[in-house]
Short mmCIF file of all heavy atoms in Angstrom, two decimals:
data_model
loop_
_atom_site.label_atom_id
_atom_site.label_comp_id
_atom_site.label_asym_id
_atom_site.label_seq_id
_atom_site.Cartn_x
_atom_site.Cartn_y
_atom_site.Cartn_z
N MET K 1 91.33 133.59 22.87
CA MET K 1 90.32 133.10 23.78
C MET K 1 90.82 131.80 24.41
O MET K 1 91.33 130.94 23.72
CB MET K 1 89.03 132.86 23.00
CG MET K 1 87.93 132.36 23.87
SD MET K 1 86.33 132.75 23.20
CE MET K 1 85.82 131.23 22.51
N THR K 2 90.67 131.67 25.70
CA THR K 2 91.10 130.47 26.39
C THR K 2 89.89 129.70 26.91
O THR K 2 88.85 130.28 27.20
CB THR K 2 92.02 130.79 27.57
OG1 THR K 2 91.29 131.58 28.50
CG2 THR K 2 93.26 131.52 27.11
N ILE K 3 90.06 128.42 26.99
CA ILE K 3 89.01 127.58 27.53
C ILE K 3 89.40 127.23 28.97
O ILE K 3 90.47 126.69 29.21
CB ILE K 3 88.84 126.29 26.70
CG1 ILE K 3 88.44 126.66 25.28
CG2 ILE K 3 87.82 125.36 27.34
CD1 ILE K 3 88.40 125.48 24.34
N ALA K 4 88.52 127.57 29.89
CA ALA K 4 88.80 127.30 31.30
C ALA K 4 88.68 125.81 31.58
O ALA K 4 87.80 125.13 31.07
CB ALA K 4 87.83 128.08 32.18
N ASN K 5 89.59 125.32 32.39
CA ASN K 5 89.55 123.93 32.80
C ASN K 5 88.64 123.83 34.02
O ASN K 5 88.93 124.34 35.08
CB ASN K 5 90.96 123.44 33.15
CG ASN K 5 90.97 121.97 33.51
OD1 ASN K 5 89.94 121.30 33.50
ND2 ASN K 5 92.15 121.47 33.82
N HIS K 6 87.50 123.18 33.85
CA HIS K 6 86.51 123.08 34.92
C HIS K 6 86.59 121.72 35.59
O HIS K 6 85.60 121.02 35.72
CB HIS K 6 85.10 123.31 34.37
CG HIS K 6 84.88 124.69 33.88
ND1 HIS K 6 84.78 125.77 34.74
CD2 HIS K 6 84.76 125.19 32.64
CE1 HIS K 6 84.60 126.86 34.03
NE2 HIS K 6 84.58 126.54 32.75
N SER K 7 87.77 121.34 36.01
CA SER K 7 87.90 120.05 36.69
C SER K 7 87.42 120.19 38.13
O SER K 7 87.67 121.18 38.80
CB SER K 7 89.35 119.56 36.67
OG SER K 7 90.16 120.45 37.38
N ARG K 8 86.67 119.20 38.54
CA ARG K 8 86.15 119.18 39.90
C ARG K 8 86.76 118.00 40.65
O ARG K 8 87.07 116.98 40.06
CB ARG K 8 84.63 119.00 39.90
CG ARG K 8 83.91 120.20 39.42
CD ARG K 8 82.45 119.98 39.62
NE ARG K 8 81.86 119.71 38.31
CZ ARG K 8 80.62 119.35 38.12
NH1 ARG K 8 79.82 119.15 39.13
NH2 ARG K 8 80.16 119.15 36.91
N THR K 9 86.88 118.18 41.93
CA THR K 9 87.36 117.08 42.76
C THR K 9 86.16 116.19 43.07
O THR K 9 85.16 116.65 43.58
CB THR K 9 87.98 117.60 44.06
OG1 THR K 9 89.03 118.49 43.73
CG2 THR K 9 88.51 116.46 44.89
N VAL K 10 86.30 114.92 42.76
CA VAL K 10 85.23 113.96 43.00
C VAL K 10 85.66 113.06 44.16
O VAL K 10 86.75 112.50 44.16
CB VAL K 10 84.96 113.11 41.74
CG1 VAL K 10 83.89 112.08 42.00
CG2 VAL K 10 84.59 114.00 40.57
N ALA K 11 84.78 112.94 45.13
CA ALA K 11 85.08 112.09 46.29
C ALA K 11 85.02 110.64 45.87
O ALA K 11 84.11 110.23 45.14
CB ALA K 11 84.09 112.37 47.40
N PRO K 12 85.97 109.83 46.31
CA PRO K 12 85.96 108.41 45.94
C PRO K 12 84.79 107.69 46.61
O PRO K 12 84.34 108.08 47.69
CB PRO K 12 87.30 107.89 46.47
CG PRO K 12 87.64 108.82 47.58
CD PRO K 12 87.09 110.16 47.18
N LYS K 13 84.31 106.66 45.95
CA LYS K 13 83.23 105.84 46.51
C LYS K 13 83.76 104.55 47.10
O LYS K 13 83.04 103.83 47.77
CB LYS K 13 82.19 105.54 45.44
CG LYS K 13 81.46 106.77 44.98
CD LYS K 13 80.35 106.43 44.04
CE LYS K 13 79.64 107.71 43.64
NZ LYS K 13 78.41 107.45 42.94
N SER K 14 85.04 104.27 46.84
CA SER K 14 85.66 103.06 47.39
C SER K 14 87.13 103.34 47.65
O SER K 14 87.70 104.30 47.14
CB SER K 14 85.51 101.89 46.41
OG SER K 14 86.18 102.16 45.21
N VAL K 15 87.72 102.47 48.48
CA VAL K 15 89.13 102.60 48.82
C VAL K 15 89.78 101.22 48.74
O VAL K 15 89.11 100.19 48.76
CB VAL K 15 89.33 103.19 50.24
CG1 VAL K 15 88.86 104.62 50.30
CG2 VAL K 15 88.63 102.34 51.29
N ARG K 16 91.08 101.21 48.66
CA ARG K 16 91.85 99.96 48.66
C ARG K 16 92.04 99.51 50.11
O ARG K 16 91.85 100.29 51.04
CB ARG K 16 93.17 100.16 47.96
CG ARG K 16 92.98 100.39 46.47
CD ARG K 16 94.30 100.59 45.78
NE ARG K 16 94.10 100.77 44.37
CZ ARG K 16 94.36 99.83 43.46
NH1 ARG K 16 94.86 98.68 43.83
NH2 ARG K 16 94.14 100.06 42.19
N PRO K 17 92.42 98.26 50.33
CA PRO K 17 92.56 97.75 51.69
C PRO K 17 93.48 98.58 52.59
O PRO K 17 93.16 98.78 53.76
CB PRO K 17 93.11 96.34 51.47
CG PRO K 17 92.53 95.93 50.16
CD PRO K 17 92.56 97.19 49.33
N ALA K 18 94.58 99.08 52.08
CA ALA K 18 95.49 99.88 52.92
C ALA K 18 94.80 101.17 53.38
O ALA K 18 94.96 101.59 54.53
CB ALA K 18 96.76 100.20 52.16
N GLU K 19 94.03 101.79 52.48
CA GLU K 19 93.31 103.01 52.86
C GLU K 19 92.19 102.70 53.84
O GLU K 19 91.95 103.46 54.78
CB GLU K 19 92.74 103.68 51.61
CG GLU K 19 93.80 104.15 50.64
CD GLU K 19 93.25 104.47 49.26
OE1 GLU K 19 92.49 103.65 48.72
OE2 GLU K 19 93.60 105.56 48.76
N ALA K 20 91.51 101.56 53.65
CA ALA K 20 90.46 101.14 54.58
C ALA K 20 91.06 100.90 55.96
O ALA K 20 90.46 101.26 56.97
CB ALA K 20 89.76 99.89 54.06
N ALA K 21 92.23 100.30 55.99
CA ALA K 21 92.91 100.05 57.27
C ALA K 21 93.18 101.36 58.00
O ALA K 21 92.95 101.46 59.21
CB ALA K 21 94.20 99.29 57.03
N ALA K 22 93.63 102.35 57.28
CA ALA K 22 93.90 103.65 57.89
C ALA K 22 92.61 104.28 58.42
O ALA K 22 92.59 104.85 59.51
CB ALA K 22 94.57 104.58 56.89
N LEU K 23 91.52 104.16 57.66
CA LEU K 23 90.24 104.72 58.10
C LEU K 23 89.71 104.01 59.34
O LEU K 23 89.11 104.64 60.21
CB LEU K 23 89.20 104.61 56.98
CG LEU K 23 89.41 105.51 55.77
CD1 LEU K 23 88.44 105.14 54.65
CD2 LEU K 23 89.24 106.98 56.16
N LEU K 24 89.95 102.70 59.42
CA LEU K 24 89.45 101.92 60.54
C LEU K 24 90.40 101.90 61.73
O LEU K 24 90.03 101.49 62.82
CB LEU K 24 89.19 100.47 60.09
CG LEU K 24 88.03 100.29 59.12
CD1 LEU K 24 88.04 98.88 58.55
CD2 LEU K 24 86.71 100.59 59.81
N GLY K 25 91.65 102.31 61.51
CA GLY K 25 92.63 102.30 62.58
C GLY K 25 93.15 100.92 62.91
O GLY K 25 93.49 100.62 64.05
N VAL K 26 93.21 100.06 61.88
CA VAL K 26 93.74 98.70 62.05
C VAL K 26 94.81 98.48 61.00
O VAL K 26 95.01 99.30 60.10
CB VAL K 26 92.62 97.64 61.91
CG1 VAL K 26 91.56 97.83 62.98
CG2 VAL K 26 91.98 97.68 60.53
N CYS K 27 95.49 97.34 61.06
CA CYS K 27 96.50 97.06 60.05
C CYS K 27 95.84 96.46 58.80
O CYS K 27 94.70 95.99 58.84
CB CYS K 27 97.59 96.14 60.59
SG CYS K 27 97.06 94.46 60.88
N ARG K 28 96.56 96.48 57.71
CA ARG K 28 96.05 96.00 56.43
C ARG K 28 95.67 94.52 56.50
O ARG K 28 94.65 94.10 55.94
CB ARG K 28 97.11 96.23 55.35
CG ARG K 28 96.63 95.95 53.94
CD ARG K 28 97.73 96.28 52.95
NE ARG K 28 98.93 95.50 53.16
CZ ARG K 28 99.19 94.36 52.52
NH1 ARG K 28 98.38 93.92 51.61
NH2 ARG K 28 100.30 93.70 52.78
N ASP K 29 96.45 93.73 57.23
CA ASP K 29 96.15 92.30 57.36
C ASP K 29 94.79 92.09 58.02
O ASP K 29 94.05 91.17 57.65
CB ASP K 29 97.23 91.58 58.15
CG ASP K 29 98.55 91.48 57.38
OD1 ASP K 29 98.52 91.65 56.14
OD2 ASP K 29 99.58 91.24 58.01
N THR K 30 94.45 92.92 58.98
CA THR K 30 93.15 92.81 59.65
C THR K 30 92.01 93.07 58.66
O THR K 30 90.98 92.40 58.71
CB THR K 30 93.06 93.80 60.83
OG1 THR K 30 94.11 93.48 61.75
CG2 THR K 30 91.72 93.73 61.53
N VAL K 31 92.22 94.01 57.75
CA VAL K 31 91.20 94.29 56.73
C VAL K 31 90.99 93.05 55.87
O VAL K 31 89.85 92.68 55.57
CB VAL K 31 91.59 95.52 55.87
CG1 VAL K 31 90.67 95.68 54.67
CG2 VAL K 31 91.57 96.77 56.73
N TYR K 32 92.06 92.37 55.48
CA TYR K 32 91.93 91.15 54.67
C TYR K 32 91.21 90.05 55.45
O TYR K 32 90.40 89.32 54.89
CB TYR K 32 93.29 90.67 54.17
CG TYR K 32 93.76 91.46 52.97
CD1 TYR K 32 94.73 92.45 53.10
CD2 TYR K 32 93.24 91.21 51.71
CE1 TYR K 32 95.16 93.18 51.99
CE2 TYR K 32 93.66 91.93 50.60
CZ TYR K 32 94.61 92.91 50.75
OH TYR K 32 95.03 93.63 49.66
N VAL K 33 91.48 89.94 56.74
CA VAL K 33 90.79 88.95 57.57
C VAL K 33 89.29 89.27 57.61
O VAL K 33 88.44 88.38 57.48
CB VAL K 33 91.39 88.90 58.99
CG1 VAL K 33 90.52 88.10 59.94
CG2 VAL K 33 92.80 88.34 58.95
N LEU K 34 88.96 90.54 57.79
CA LEU K 34 87.55 90.96 57.82
C LEU K 34 86.86 90.69 56.49
O LEU K 34 85.70 90.27 56.46
CB LEU K 34 87.45 92.44 58.19
CG LEU K 34 87.86 92.80 59.61
CD1 LEU K 34 87.95 94.32 59.77
CD2 LEU K 34 86.88 92.21 60.61
N MET K 35 87.57 90.91 55.39
CA MET K 35 86.98 90.64 54.07
C MET K 35 86.75 89.14 53.88
O MET K 35 85.69 88.73 53.41
CB MET K 35 87.87 91.20 52.95
CG MET K 35 87.86 92.70 52.86
SD MET K 35 88.73 93.36 51.42
CE MET K 35 90.38 92.76 51.63
N ARG K 36 87.75 88.33 54.24
CA ARG K 36 87.61 86.87 54.09
C ARG K 36 86.48 86.31 54.93
O ARG K 36 85.79 85.39 54.52
CB ARG K 36 88.92 86.17 54.44
CG ARG K 36 89.90 86.09 53.30
CD ARG K 36 91.03 85.10 53.58
NE ARG K 36 91.80 85.44 54.77
CZ ARG K 36 92.83 86.27 54.80
NH1 ARG K 36 93.23 86.87 53.71
NH2 ARG K 36 93.47 86.51 55.93
N SER K 37 86.28 86.88 56.11
CA SER K 37 85.23 86.38 57.01
C SER K 37 83.84 86.86 56.60
O SER K 37 82.85 86.39 57.14
CB SER K 37 85.52 86.82 58.45
OG SER K 37 85.32 88.22 58.59
N GLY K 38 83.79 87.82 55.68
CA GLY K 38 82.50 88.35 55.23
C GLY K 38 81.98 89.50 56.07
O GLY K 38 80.89 90.01 55.81
N ARG K 39 82.74 89.91 57.07
CA ARG K 39 82.30 91.02 57.93
C ARG K 39 82.48 92.38 57.26
O ARG K 39 81.81 93.34 57.62
CB ARG K 39 83.05 91.00 59.25
CG ARG K 39 82.67 89.78 60.10
CD ARG K 39 83.36 89.76 61.43
NE ARG K 39 83.00 90.93 62.22
CZ ARG K 39 83.74 91.40 63.22
NH1 ARG K 39 84.86 90.82 63.55
NH2 ARG K 39 83.34 92.47 63.90
N LEU K 40 83.40 92.45 56.29
CA LEU K 40 83.64 93.69 55.55
C LEU K 40 83.47 93.38 54.07
O LEU K 40 84.24 92.62 53.49
CB LEU K 40 85.04 94.24 55.84
CG LEU K 40 85.41 95.55 55.17
CD1 LEU K 40 84.48 96.68 55.61
CD2 LEU K 40 86.85 95.92 55.49
N ARG K 41 82.45 93.97 53.48
CA ARG K 41 82.12 93.73 52.08
C ARG K 41 83.17 94.38 51.17
O ARG K 41 83.64 95.48 51.45
CB ARG K 41 80.74 94.33 51.81
CG ARG K 41 80.12 94.02 50.51
CD ARG K 41 78.65 94.43 50.48
NE ARG K 41 78.39 95.76 51.02
CZ ARG K 41 78.42 96.88 50.31
NH1 ARG K 41 78.73 96.85 49.03
NH2 ARG K 41 78.15 98.04 50.87
N SER K 42 83.52 93.69 50.10
CA SER K 42 84.46 94.23 49.13
C SER K 42 84.10 93.72 47.74
O SER K 42 83.31 92.79 47.60
CB SER K 42 85.90 93.83 49.47
OG SER K 42 86.07 92.44 49.33
N ILE K 43 84.68 94.36 46.74
CA ILE K 43 84.46 93.93 45.36
C ILE K 43 85.82 93.77 44.69
O ILE K 43 86.80 94.37 45.10
CB ILE K 43 83.59 94.92 44.56
CG1 ILE K 43 84.23 96.31 44.54
CG2 ILE K 43 82.19 94.99 45.13
CD1 ILE K 43 83.57 97.27 43.60
N LYS K 44 85.85 92.96 43.66
CA LYS K 44 87.07 92.75 42.89
C LYS K 44 86.92 93.49 41.57
O LYS K 44 85.93 93.32 40.87
CB LYS K 44 87.27 91.25 42.65
CG LYS K 44 88.56 90.93 42.00
CD LYS K 44 89.38 90.05 42.88
CE LYS K 44 90.58 89.65 42.05
NZ LYS K 44 91.66 89.21 42.75
N ALA K 45 87.88 94.33 41.25
CA ALA K 45 87.91 95.07 39.99
C ALA K 45 89.24 94.76 39.32
O ALA K 45 90.26 95.32 39.68
CB ALA K 45 87.76 96.56 40.24
N GLY K 46 89.21 93.81 38.40
CA GLY K 46 90.46 93.34 37.81
C GLY K 46 91.26 92.63 38.88
O GLY K 46 90.78 91.72 39.52
N ARG K 47 92.48 93.07 39.09
CA ARG K 47 93.32 92.48 40.14
C ARG K 47 93.19 93.24 41.46
O ARG K 47 93.72 92.81 42.48
CB ARG K 47 94.77 92.48 39.69
CG ARG K 47 95.01 91.52 38.53
CD ARG K 47 96.43 91.53 38.07
NE ARG K 47 97.33 91.15 39.15
CZ ARG K 47 98.63 91.30 39.12
NH1 ARG K 47 99.20 91.82 38.06
NH2 ARG K 47 99.38 90.91 40.12
N ALA K 48 92.51 94.37 41.44
CA ALA K 48 92.38 95.20 42.64
C ALA K 48 91.19 94.78 43.48
O ALA K 48 90.15 94.38 42.96
CB ALA K 48 92.23 96.67 42.24
N ARG K 49 91.34 94.89 44.78
CA ARG K 49 90.25 94.65 45.72
C ARG K 49 89.84 96.03 46.23
O ARG K 49 90.67 96.81 46.68
CB ARG K 49 90.75 93.77 46.86
CG ARG K 49 89.75 93.38 47.87
CD ARG K 49 88.57 92.63 47.35
NE ARG K 49 88.88 91.30 46.87
CZ ARG K 49 87.94 90.45 46.48
NH1 ARG K 49 86.67 90.78 46.52
NH2 ARG K 49 88.27 89.27 46.03
N LEU K 50 88.55 96.36 46.10
CA LEU K 50 88.05 97.66 46.52
C LEU K 50 86.99 97.49 47.60
O LEU K 50 86.18 96.57 47.54
CB LEU K 50 87.45 98.41 45.33
CG LEU K 50 88.40 98.71 44.17
CD1 LEU K 50 87.63 99.29 43.00
CD2 LEU K 50 89.49 99.66 44.62
N ILE K 51 87.01 98.38 48.55
CA ILE K 51 86.04 98.37 49.64
C ILE K 51 85.20 99.64 49.53
O ILE K 51 85.73 100.75 49.68
CB ILE K 51 86.75 98.31 51.01
CG1 ILE K 51 87.59 97.03 51.07
CG2 ILE K 51 85.75 98.35 52.14
CD1 ILE K 51 88.91 97.22 51.70
N PRO K 52 83.91 99.48 49.24
CA PRO K 52 83.05 100.67 49.18
C PRO K 52 83.02 101.37 50.54
O PRO K 52 83.02 100.72 51.59
CB PRO K 52 81.67 100.10 48.84
CG PRO K 52 81.94 98.75 48.26
CD PRO K 52 83.18 98.26 48.93
N LEU K 53 82.99 102.70 50.52
CA LEU K 53 82.93 103.44 51.78
C LEU K 53 81.66 103.10 52.54
O LEU K 53 81.66 103.07 53.77
CB LEU K 53 83.02 104.95 51.50
CG LEU K 53 84.37 105.42 50.97
CD1 LEU K 53 84.32 106.90 50.63
CD2 LEU K 53 85.48 105.14 51.97
N ALA K 54 80.59 102.78 51.82
CA ALA K 54 79.35 102.36 52.46
C ALA K 54 79.56 101.07 53.26
O ALA K 54 78.97 100.88 54.33
CB ALA K 54 78.24 102.18 51.43
N ALA K 55 80.41 100.17 52.76
CA ALA K 55 80.70 98.92 53.46
C ALA K 55 81.44 99.19 54.77
O ALA K 55 81.22 98.50 55.77
CB ALA K 55 81.52 97.99 52.58
N ILE K 56 82.29 100.19 54.78
CA ILE K 56 83.00 100.56 56.01
C ILE K 56 82.00 101.10 57.02
O ILE K 56 82.02 100.74 58.20
CB ILE K 56 84.13 101.57 55.72
CG1 ILE K 56 85.21 100.89 54.87
CG2 ILE K 56 84.71 102.13 57.01
CD1 ILE K 56 86.30 101.80 54.38
N ASP K 57 81.07 101.94 56.55
CA ASP K 57 80.02 102.46 57.44
C ASP K 57 79.16 101.33 58.00
O ASP K 57 78.84 101.31 59.18
CB ASP K 57 79.14 103.47 56.71
CG ASP K 57 79.87 104.76 56.39
OD1 ASP K 57 80.87 105.07 57.07
OD2 ASP K 57 79.44 105.46 55.46
N GLU K 58 78.80 100.37 57.13
CA GLU K 58 78.00 99.22 57.57
C GLU K 58 78.76 98.41 58.62
O GLU K 58 78.18 97.98 59.61
CB GLU K 58 77.66 98.32 56.38
CG GLU K 58 76.70 98.94 55.40
CD GLU K 58 76.67 98.20 54.07
OE1 GLU K 58 77.26 97.10 53.96
OE2 GLU K 58 76.05 98.72 53.13
N PHE K 59 80.03 98.19 58.38
CA PHE K 59 80.85 97.43 59.33
C PHE K 59 80.89 98.11 60.68
O PHE K 59 80.71 97.48 61.72
CB PHE K 59 82.27 97.26 58.77
CG PHE K 59 83.23 96.68 59.76
CD1 PHE K 59 83.19 95.33 60.08
CD2 PHE K 59 84.16 97.48 60.40
CE1 PHE K 59 84.07 94.78 61.02
CE2 PHE K 59 85.04 96.95 61.33
CZ PHE K 59 84.99 95.60 61.64
N LEU K 60 81.10 99.42 60.67
CA LEU K 60 81.17 100.16 61.93
C LEU K 60 79.82 100.16 62.63
O LEU K 60 79.75 100.04 63.86
CB LEU K 60 81.66 101.59 61.68
CG LEU K 60 83.11 101.70 61.21
CD1 LEU K 60 83.42 103.14 60.83
CD2 LEU K 60 84.07 101.19 62.26
N SER K 61 78.74 100.27 61.90
CA SER K 61 77.40 100.26 62.49
C SER K 61 77.11 98.89 63.09
O SER K 61 76.53 98.79 64.18
CB SER K 61 76.34 100.59 61.44
OG SER K 61 76.50 101.91 61.00
N ALA K 62 77.49 97.83 62.41
CA ALA K 62 77.26 96.47 62.90
C ALA K 62 78.03 96.25 64.18
O ALA K 62 77.52 95.62 65.11
CB ALA K 62 77.65 95.45 61.84
N ASP K 63 79.25 96.74 64.25
CA ASP K 63 80.06 96.59 65.47
C ASP K 63 79.46 97.36 66.63
O ASP K 63 79.50 96.92 67.76
CB ASP K 63 81.51 97.02 65.23
CG ASP K 63 82.37 95.87 64.73
OD1 ASP K 63 81.83 94.78 64.47
OD2 ASP K 63 83.58 96.07 64.61
N GLU K 64 78.87 98.53 66.36
CA GLU K 64 78.22 99.31 67.41
C GLU K 64 77.02 98.54 67.96
O GLU K 64 76.79 98.51 69.17
CB GLU K 64 77.78 100.67 66.88
CG GLU K 64 78.91 101.64 66.69
CD GLU K 64 78.45 102.94 66.05
OE1 GLU K 64 77.24 103.10 65.81
OE2 GLU K 64 79.32 103.80 65.81
N GLU K 65 76.24 97.91 67.07
CA GLU K 65 75.08 97.15 67.49
C GLU K 65 75.51 95.92 68.29
O GLU K 65 74.88 95.57 69.28
CB GLU K 65 74.26 96.70 66.28
CG GLU K 65 73.58 97.85 65.57
CD GLU K 65 72.96 97.45 64.25
OE1 GLU K 65 72.85 96.24 63.98
OE2 GLU K 65 72.58 98.35 63.49
N PHE K 66 76.62 95.29 67.89
CA PHE K 66 77.12 94.11 68.58
C PHE K 66 77.60 94.47 69.98
O PHE K 66 77.39 93.75 70.94
CB PHE K 66 78.26 93.49 67.76
CG PHE K 66 78.83 92.24 68.38
CD1 PHE K 66 78.13 91.06 68.37
CD2 PHE K 66 80.08 92.28 68.99
CE1 PHE K 66 78.66 89.91 68.95
CE2 PHE K 66 80.61 91.15 69.58
CZ PHE K 66 79.89 89.96 69.55
N ALA K 67 78.25 95.63 70.11
CA ALA K 67 78.82 96.04 71.39
C ALA K 67 77.73 96.50 72.37
O ALA K 67 77.92 96.43 73.57
CB ALA K 67 79.82 97.17 71.19
N ALA K 68 76.61 96.94 71.85
CA ALA K 68 75.54 97.47 72.72
C ALA K 68 74.80 96.41 73.48
O ALA K 68 74.87 95.29 73.38
CB ALA K 68 74.56 98.28 71.88
#
C-alpha cells in the first residue's frame, strides 16, 4: 500500500524586493526607494525584507488615484 503525496501549490502572500520590482516593472533600487519613503509597505523577517502582495496592490491603487 502506498501513501499518496497530497502536496498542493500555495500562492505566496509576499515577495522579495527583486520579485516586487519585476511585478512593478521597475528596478530593484526603485523598490528600496519606495520602501524607504513609506510609499511601499514592507516587513522585515530576520534579515529578509518582504513585501506583501496586498502592499503592491495598495501602491498601484494609490498611484492610480494620484494620477486621476
Side-chain angles (χ1 to χ4, degrees):
M1 180 155 102
T2 62
I3 298 173
N5 183 0
H6 294 289
S7 64
R8 289 187 254 173
T9 303
V10 178
K13 293 186 179 191
S14 63
V15 293
R16 292 180 178 255
E19 296 165 312
L23 290 171
L24 291 169
V26 298
C27 70
R28 188 177 61 95
D29 290 342
T30 301
V31 171
Y32 280 103
V33 168
L34 292 170
M35 288 188 300
R36 275 194 301 274
S37 71
R39 293 182 61 202
L40 182 61
R41 189 169 45 89
S42 67
I43 59 170
K44 186 120 173 160
R47 292 179 60 193
R49 183 59 68 174
L50 299 173
I51 300 139
L53 292 175
I56 294 173
D57 291 337
E58 292 165 9
F59 171 75
L60 293 173
S61 294
D63 271 6
E64 285 175 2
E65 291 171 12
F66 181 73

